[in-house]
Amino acid sequence: QVQLVESGGGLVQPGGSLRLSCAASGITFTIYTMGWYRQAPGKQRDLVASITGDGRTNYADSVKGRFTISRDNAKNTVYLQMNTLKSDDSAVYYCYATRAGVVSYWGQGTQISVSS
């Protein structure tokens, strides 16, 4: 069974930082592209960041310079370091894994609330 388990969500003040983790099991982690999507109420689910098995990254324009995606292949874990958080970053964040677009998996999502 494939599982993507997110952790690190919660409440943070504007301007603060938070790190999300996603631990994968049941897949050959190194050959999967990993990513983070987010969905706010009334909005579509959009890509935040992705990282290929060899470390190539992609970011949404709204988070460039503030967020950093990374992966630790030895731990089968992908991270999202979020700095200078804004209220607009509030959303449910979903971990995502795909192998050449042939097969894909989603985590259950974790809530990020940026509020004073």
Side-chain angles (χ1 to χ4, degrees), residues 2-25:
V2 175
Q3 283 192 302
L4 303 177
V5 181
E6 299 110 332
S7 62
L11 177 65
V12 65
Q13 294 183 353
S17 298
L18 206 61
R19 189 182 73 161
L20 300 181
S21 299
C22 174
S25 61

Side-chain angles (χ1 to χ4, degrees), residues 70-86:
S70 61
R71 64 192 294 159
D72 186 340
N73 288 338
K75 296 182 178 180
N76 284 13
T77 300
V78 63
Y79 305 94
L80 185 67
Q81 179 66 47
M82 303 181 291
N83 298 326
T84 319
L85 283 161
K86 308 173 181 179

